[in-house]
Amino acid sequence: MPIDPKVALGAELPSRECSWTPSDVQLYHLGLGAGARWTDPAELRYLNDTAPQVLPTFATVAPTLRETEPPRVHFPGIDIELAHVVHGNQEVRVHRPIPAAGKATVTGRIAEIWDKGTAAVIVQETTATGSDGAPLWTARSSIFARGEGGFGGERGPSVKSELPDRAPDYDVTTPTLPQQALLYRLCGDRNPLHSDPEFARAAGFPNPIVHGLCTYGMVCKAATDTALDSDASRVTGFRARFAGVLYPGETIRTRIWRDDDELTIAATVVEREDAAVLGDVKLSFRSE
């Protein structure tokens, strides 16, 4: 049985040590398209050689930076084929700005398992603690496993937020490169869905797709640049639901509504009549 909820729910995940350098941060930001405005001092803050500012979404790749093997969906009570899995949701909350170089211990657990009938949703929660003993970030992510439901569990919540009933405060577009996924995968996500055309077609896609976490980071960066004067240290949290796919070379449209200390965001694909790529997007930030 691929999922045994009695074993899996609440199970502690193996802790892992991770470290990063300014070069790792630069590579991550380049994987998100940083440097497109190569003479803009605000843009170049992401690519400083000694002390680049760090987008909070870097937390999603820091634990896997140097991995070269495809990820495995193998946890206590859970063993699922990678081709059956897509990313569902992602949230990162930073307890302080992530330093340009550092070390952390990452611990986690299986926080929730929902039975959607034809699929299962598995939620992981992880916390990173810096070498000084203070927390750096907390992340929650869910995966949607096709064909793995029907084990008799609870269906779980189904929440969809509504966009504000007014014109957005900002409306920006971000092009992606044809090699966007091939570049981003160097940050440690070697899932062949993003690089191998045959694997992608076997999974039901006409071609490899951009990593959901790449789109996630690109939208966070676009919102930070547009609404927060490119100051990543002001971002305290970012969450999104993966609502669709993005193919390399397509253009992301990011509409942003500002309200006190939170941004509500819609991310769509320009070339496909604004098909949703991220939904339920919220960015929290601190005032200057």
Side-chain angles (χ1 to χ4, degrees):
M1 183 177 181
I3 297 178
D4 184 344
K6 293 180 180 179
V7 174
L9 187 60
E12 299 293 323
L13 303 176
S15 65
R16 61 192 307 170
E17 305 295 319
C18 65
S19 63
W20 60 93
T21 67
S23 293
D24 295 321
V25 173
Q26 289 175 305
L27 177 62
Y28 174 69
H29 289 152
L30 287 169
L32 303 183
R37 304 190 312 275
W38 68 93
T39 60
D40 183 343
E43 177 81 349
L44 293 175
R45 294 173 65 188
Y46 293 105
L47 300 170
N48 184 281
D49 282 333
T50 56
Q53 68 168 352
V54 186
L55 278 170
T57 53
F58 179 73
T60 63
V61 302
T64 58
L65 274 172
R66 294 167 187 83
E67 294 189 358
T68 57
E69 295 296 322
R72 296 183 62 201
V73 190
H74 181 69
F75 310 113
I78 298 171
D79 192 359
I80 301 171
E81 290 290 333
L82 184 61
H84 295 172
V85 170
V86 294
H87 210 144
N89 297 74
Q90 181 69 52
E91 178 177 7
V92 171
R93 289 183 288 110
V94 288
H95 305 291
R96 50 181 163 141
I98 300 173
K103 296 181 179 180
T105 300
V106 181
T107 58
R109 65 189 180 94
I110 303 297
E112 299 168 2
I113 301 177
W114 305 116
D115 186 346
K116 300 296 186 180
T118 58
V121 174
I122 301 159
V123 181
Q124 300 177 57
E125 182 172 282
T126 58
T127 299
T129 303
S131 55
D132 59 359
L136 276 171
W137 68 76
T138 299
R140 282 176 64 90
S141 64
S142 72
I143 57 173
F144 186 87
R146 299 187 300 268
E148 304 297 344
F151 52 82
E154 294 184 21
R155 186 168 180 82
S158 181
V159 180
K160 184 178 181 181
S161 61
E162 297 294 330
L163 296 175
D165 187 20
R166 60 181 174 87
D169 297 298
Y170 311 95
D171 192 336
V172 296
T173 55
T174 307
T176 64
L177 299 169
Q179 66 269 38
Q180 197 80 55
L182 298 175
L183 177 58
Y184 181 85
R185 71 194 295 267
L186 299 181
C187 295
D189 188 340
R190 302 303 179 101
N191 187 335
L193 178 62
H194 311 292
S195 60
D196 184 334
E198 290 186 8
F199 186 95
R201 289 166 193 149
F205 299 98
N207 286 302
I209 62 176
V210 175
H211 303 69
L213 285 178
C214 180
T215 305
Y216 176 83
M218 292 183 76
V219 171
C220 182
K221 181 179 182 296
T224 301
D225 292 345
T226 303
L228 303 179
D229 300 318
S230 298
D231 187 352
S233 69
R234 294 178 61 190
V235 182
T236 58
F238 187 65
R239 64 179 173 87
R241 173 176 53 85
F242 298 97
V245 298
L246 179 72
Y247 291 94
E250 292 186 321
T251 305
I252 305 171
R253 180 187 182 194
T254 304
R255 290 177 292 152
I256 305 165
W257 290 262
R258 188 167 186 150
D259 184 19
D260 296 329
D261 58 356
E262 186 175 72
L263 304 178
T264 298
I265 301 168
T268 57
V269 184
V270 171
E271 289 83 355
R272 286 186 274 122
E273 300 181 344
D274 279 325
V277 64
L278 295 180
D280 303 329
V281 189
K282 298 284 187 179
L283 184 152
S284 57
F285 63 94
R286 61 172 180 80
S287 301
E288 292 182 282

